[in-house]
Amino acid sequence: MDKVVVSDGRIYVGDYTSQKVFVFGMDGKMCAVLDKRGRGPGEYLQIQSFSVDTGKLYVLDQFESTVLSYDAGTLAFLDAEKAPGPAWDFAALHDGGFLFAYAPMEGNPVRDRSLQYRVTVTDGKMRVKETFFPYAEDEADAFSIAPDLSENGDTVVYGSFREDGYCLFDRSGGQLKEHVRFKFAKPVPDGDRSSLLAVMGGGYTFLASVPYKSGSCCALNLSIGGAGQLCVFDEKGERLLRQPDGSMRNVLTGIIGSAGPCLIGNWQDKSIYAYMTKNGFERAEPDEEAAILADAPFLVFYRMKE
């Protein structure tokens, strides 16, 4: 599972290895599979990312730099539009437009100099409406935190390794709503942000994944002194919280998406379920537990308290 989106009572799961998007009901039963890899009309060469909104499933084809749209219910092909430039991630907006995210890296194709921005907002015909966070022609990040975007309801979250923080965009039309910047005890120096060797070997603290927002909190993966740590940022209290010690009862793990008041975790296999429940996490219902122990794929929905 590379990405999970919940929309209109369905769960969309992107598997970029198999180049498919699986569609499930909220009861876990499979409804459909988008499997259109190829070079013909309505087909894609490589799924870079996908997004779901207003009854449409969108796929960003990295090779063709094209966004293809399908009916979210039937998966019938609808349309295709060339993206404004290369992008690592994108999100569909309620007005039919799109928000694209890009991080310049060593060896990446040079974009149109008029579009040297980390975030670009377009309308449905890929005409640029607004741009954010320009980058210099010779600027490069040590790595991309892809996926660079997460979506939940009316909000798109953009994560930034370069600036140690994230931004909230209004999904109605791509308006920037809020910046959140962290002041880490040992941040990556500006001079080291282009060197993967320096970043990974310096014992620094930096954002390692896009945050996933649920209510007034965001779950985010940090690299702290070379070790990964899933933390929760309480936006109301402006506190960065680490995981509780001891019991697994309230521990988050494998966060891969969010929907409404819930964060969504991919625990990957039954061994993680066995470890978590043995150490205090609430067990699933008997029929669900039987499926998990039989190695059926599963997701965990964490309902977050305000």
Side-chain angles (χ1 to χ4, degrees):
M1 299 184 190
D2 292 289
K3 182 176 181 178
V4 173
V5 172
V6 177
S7 178
D8 292 331
R10 289 187 168 190
I11 303 171
Y12 297 80
V13 178
D15 176 358
Y16 302 157
T17 300
S18 69
Q19 292 295 304
K20 299 175 184 178
V21 179
F22 297 86
V23 187
F24 301 89
M26 293 304 294
D27 58 1
K29 293 181 180 179
M30 186 179 293
C31 303
V33 180
L34 181 69
D35 181 12
K36 294 182 181 291
R37 192 175 191 183
R39 294 182 177 272
E43 296 178 333
Y44 49 79
L45 285 174
Q46 179 176 323
I47 298 177
Q48 176 71 17
S49 185
F50 77 94
S51 184
V52 185
D53 192 57
T54 60
K56 294 181 180 180
L57 166 62
Y58 299 93
V59 167
L60 174 61
D61 183 344
Q62 177 64 12
F63 281 160
E64 296 293 331
S65 192
T66 298
V67 174
L68 299 93
S69 61
Y70 304 89
D71 184 283
T74 66
L75 302 187
F77 172 67
L78 300 174
D79 196 11
E81 294 282 352
K82 280 285 187 181
W88 296 138
D89 206 354
F90 83 124
L93 304 175
H94 295 337
D95 65 358
F98 301 94
L99 189 151
F100 293 92
Y102 180 78
M105 297 175 65
E106 199 72 34
N108 284 168
V110 177
R111 303 181 74 185
D112 182 336
R113 292 187 181 181
S114 66
L115 285 176
Q116 285 184 308
Y117 298 89
R118 292 174 179 269
V119 174
T120 301
V121 179
T122 75
D123 64 12
K125 294 298 182 181
M126 300 301 171
R127 293 177 292 229
V128 175
K129 292 169 52 180
E130 200 163 0
T131 52
F132 302 89
F133 316 122
Y135 60 86
E137 187 175 348
D138 60 348
E139 188 174 330
D141 290 359
F143 66 94
S144 168
I145 65 170
D148 303 83
L149 303 172
S150 66
E151 52 203 69
N152 187 350
D154 294 330
T155 299
V156 177
V157 184
Y158 163 68
S160 174
F161 160 74
R162 172 63 60 171
E163 299 187 30
D164 287 336
Y166 62 90
C167 297
L168 304 179
F169 286 87
D170 190 329
R171 205 170 178 189
S172 63
Q175 300 84 3
L176 178 61
K177 296 194 296 185
E178 186 178 355
H179 289 261
V180 177
R181 296 289 180 263
F182 300 117
K183 294 182 179 180
F184 298 132
K186 192 178 180 182
V188 180
D190 288 343
D192 284 349
R193 287 192 181 268
S194 296
S195 170
L196 182 60
L197 184 62
V199 170
M200 302 308 293
Y204 304 123
T205 297
F206 55 88
L207 191 67
S209 75
V210 65
Y212 293 96
K213 182 173 172 60
S214 173
S216 62
C217 75
C218 274
L220 59 150
N221 284 293
L222 297 178
S223 177
I224 304 175
Q229 176 80 57
L230 178 62
C231 299
V232 173
F233 179 61
D234 172 16
E235 292 178 337
K236 287 184 178 179
E238 296 186 345
R239 300 174 300 162
L240 191 61
L241 309 173
R242 294 198 184 198
Q243 300 275 35
D245 294 325
S247 170
M248 297 291 105
R249 183 173 180 273
N250 293 314
V251 168
L252 305 175
T253 187
I255 302 302
I256 194 174
S258 61
C262 296
L263 293 171
I264 304 172
N266 172 21
W267 284 12
Q268 298 182 345
D269 60 47
K270 63 183 179 183
S271 64
I272 299 176
Y273 174 82
Y275 173 80
M276 294 290 286
T277 54
K278 180 181 178 181
N279 291 280
F281 200 89
E282 183 177 344
R283 306 190 77 91
E285 293 296 323
D287 58 337
E288 295 168 346
E289 182 172 73
I292 291 169
L293 296 179
D295 269 343
F298 65 99
L299 295 170
V300 178
F301 283 70
Y302 298 88
R303 184 171 293 275
M304 306 302 291
K305 296 180 179 178
E306 290 292 332

